[in-house]
Amino acid sequence: MRSNREPDSRHRVVVVGGGMAGTRLAQQLAATAAEGGVEVTVIGEEPHPAYNRVLLAEVLAGRYAPDVIALPAPAAARRLGGVRAVRIDRDPGEVVCDDGRRVPYDTLVLATGSNPVLPPLRGLFGPHGHELPDGVHAFRTMDDCLALAAAVRPGVRAVVIGGGLLGVSAARALAQRGAQVVLAHQGEHLMERQLDAGASEVLRRHVETLGVEVHTECRVRGLRTRTVDGSTADGGGKAVGGRAVSAVELADGYALEADLVVLACGVRPRVGLARAAGLEVARGVVVDDELRTSDPRVFAIGDCAEHDGVLYGLAGPAQDQADVLARVLGHRAAHGDETGPRYPGSRTLTRLTLASANSPLGLAPLDLAAFGETTPAPGDDVVHLADATRNAYRKVVVRGDRLVGGILLGDLGSVGALARTWEGDEPLPSAPLLHLLTNDGGS
């Protein structure tokens, strides 16, 4: 591999992205860095210390302060916070930053994450710019979270657009802060990527008991805004000056009055840097089993990486990839060859706990776990239990002696033996499956 470093200097690993994946990798490389083998630099666009993005909804709900969800800083890594990488010069091997500095690398890791999807809503942007109206927020970063937390107050009218995992979490958090929340979801049922219709109905009932008004099969057409002097601008955006949201307009013409709008319409991998550098990009940055891109000096992990045609977009796989890449780089440093660890893919499990300090007296939290293939194939066995009185729903799909997927809702102390069996791709335990389903997921 070509390099512009001095022969006796340390191997320079530069990580572009200071989120969960990039920070995890830097932490895993800490021992090698401390021994003088590598020099790790993390370039992070956000000015905040790295944090657990999974817990942003808990910060919005007021349950945690931002510092509580901060991740431990990698002891032996240099962090450039509030700095954006704008270009990769693959020869000689440098990352160019928005402050003008050029950071040389021997190995480059892209952990650029993803951006929130901004839907094509009429009135979302004005005619002369790309600024969102006041009161309209994405919900992806700590800055998004802090801006929402500053804007929400008891009685404020909030509309969350999108009923996936993020939208449900945001709606619950806003309701906990006393907002009047409407959740508008275009799909047939909430969290359709993880849940079937029956489980989603249990989730919907619980969300509604938290004070959230839920509308499914509900398409949003546009936003109505008002100018700073209080007059109203329609979706055509003819008003000049500042704009603030006043309503969300549905496809049938009905308008939901709104002081706050949260866009929770999914995410899209950030691949612009990689594409401009000439790396292979499909939906994400394409990587092999070593998490290596089409350039052997450049790797990618986390939300931006596409492995074997799969984009995960979840924290668990991002951490798996960071751990594997740390071992790959360590093996290369120790042995100088490419016969080391491989990334086999990840088995993804979704967890969510919905509870509210403002919920009715005696309302228990709702724990949710969904994993694997929850739609049975021909020949699969399905065990299914539902108990409306306990707000419980449990379903597992069995193929031969293997558990291939499951949905568990209710008061689960932990995901339990079922999920552990699935994660390990192990034969099912000898206990009757019905017994496992009736004992908190086998915990």
Side-chain angles (χ1 to χ4, degrees):
M1 295 186 295
R2 297 186 60 182
S3 172
N4 61 347
R5 67 188 179 100
E6 295 298 324
D8 59 348
S9 65
R10 293 186 293 175
H11 188 89
R12 297 165 300 187
V13 177
V14 174
V15 182
V16 178
M20 295 180 69
T23 300
R24 175 80 169 213
L25 175 63
Q27 291 167 342
Q28 297 297 314
L29 293 174
T32 307
E35 294 169 0
V38 300
E39 175 185 277
V40 181
T41 300
V42 179
I43 303 173
E45 187 171 341
E46 293 189 61
H48 313 283
Y51 54 89
N52 186 341
R53 197 181 305 275
V54 175
L55 296 176
L56 277 178
E58 304 303 328
V59 175
L60 177 58
R63 183 179 179 187
Y64 296 147
D67 61 314
V68 172
I69 70 169
L71 299 174
R78 177 176 64 139
R79 184 179 187 275
L80 306 179
V83 176
R84 184 168 61 91
V86 296
R87 190 173 76 249
I88 300 169
D89 287 343
R90 291 163 55 192
D91 189 2
E94 293 179 331
V95 177
V96 182
C97 301
D98 61 351
D99 60 1
R101 79 180 83 190
R102 304 177 73 93
V103 183
Y105 66 83
D106 300 306
T107 294
L108 175 64
V109 181
L110 300 178
T112 49
S114 54
N115 283 327
V117 171
L118 301 182
L121 302 180
R122 188 173 65 182
L124 184 60
F125 298 112
H128 305 297
H130 297 285
E131 294 295 323
L132 297 175
D134 290 344
V136 178
H137 302 263
F139 186 43
R140 181 64 182 165
T141 68
M142 179 64 76
D143 283 340
D144 295 335
C145 180
L146 296 178
L148 266 172
V152 68
R153 60 188 183 278
V156 73
R157 299 167 300 183
V159 177
V160 177
I161 302 175
L165 177 63
L166 186 63
V168 170
S169 299
R172 185 269 300 179
L174 291 170
Q176 186 164 341
R177 297 288 295 269
Q180 300 176 23
V181 184
V182 175
L183 178 57
H185 182 52
Q186 184 169 329
E188 293 184 3
H189 58 264
L190 299 178
M191 290 183 61
E192 67 265 21
R193 289 185 59 186
Q194 294 86 15
L195 305 182
D196 60 13
S200 181
E201 182 58 30
V202 174
L203 174 63
R204 177 174 184 154
R205 290 197 303 265
H206 185 84
V207 169
E208 289 175 338
T209 62
L210 300 179
V212 178
E213 182 180 331
V214 179
H215 296 274
T216 54
E217 299 183 89
C218 174
R219 188 169 66 86
V220 174
R221 181 167 63 187
L223 303 181
R224 296 181 183 177
T225 60
R226 56 180 173 79
T227 57
V228 290
D229 64 1
S231 61
T232 299
D234 64 17
K238 296 182 179 180
V240 294
R243 301 181 306 143
V245 68
S246 61
V248 172
E249 186 176 329
L250 306 181
D252 61 5
Y254 185 79
L256 300 168
E257 293 186 351
D259 306 302
L260 286 178
V261 173
V262 179
L263 303 175
C265 305
V267 295
R268 181 177 293 116
R270 296 183 66 176
V271 298
L273 201 63
R275 181 177 283 118
L279 301 176
E280 183 182 356
V281 174
R283 292 180 301 155
V285 183
V286 176
V287 296
D288 62 14
D289 289 349
E290 285 192 306
L291 299 163
R292 178 179 51 186
T293 71
S294 53
D295 182 332
R297 298 173 62 190
V298 183
F299 299 78
I301 57 175
D303 287 6
C304 70
E306 179 178 337
H307 173 262
D308 199 21
V310 178
L311 279 168
Y312 289 99
L314 295 169
Q319 293 181 330
D320 292 345
Q321 292 170 1
D323 292 347
V324 170
L325 181 55
R327 296 197 298 271
V328 167
L329 297 179
H331 178 90
R332 287 187 170 196
H335 303 284
D337 60 38
E338 301 179 3
T339 62
R342 295 292 189 269
Y343 174 64
S346 293
R347 297 173 71 82
T348 60
L349 185 149
T350 299
R351 288 298 309 270
L352 179 65
T353 297
L354 292 171
S356 173
N358 298 328
S359 60
L361 185 65
L363 179 64
L366 180 73
D367 285 341
L368 178 155
F371 50 91
E373 302 175 41
T374 58
T375 300
D380 289 347
D381 293 317
V382 179
V383 182
H384 182 193
L385 294 175
D387 185 344
T389 62
R390 298 178 59 194
N391 211 26
Y393 183 97
R394 300 179 185 185
K395 168 186 170 182
V396 294
V397 180
V398 179
R399 187 170 299 154
D401 65 348
R402 291 296 197 273
L403 179 65
V404 296
I407 301 172
L408 309 175
L409 281 83
D411 185 10
L412 305 176
S414 67
V415 175
L418 287 175
R420 289 193 296 271
T421 298
W422 170 79
E423 287 179 310
D425 194 23
E426 302 168 354
L428 284 166
S430 57
L433 199 57
L434 188 62
H435 171 75
L436 293 176
L437 282 182
T438 55
N439 285 272
D440 293 331
S443 57

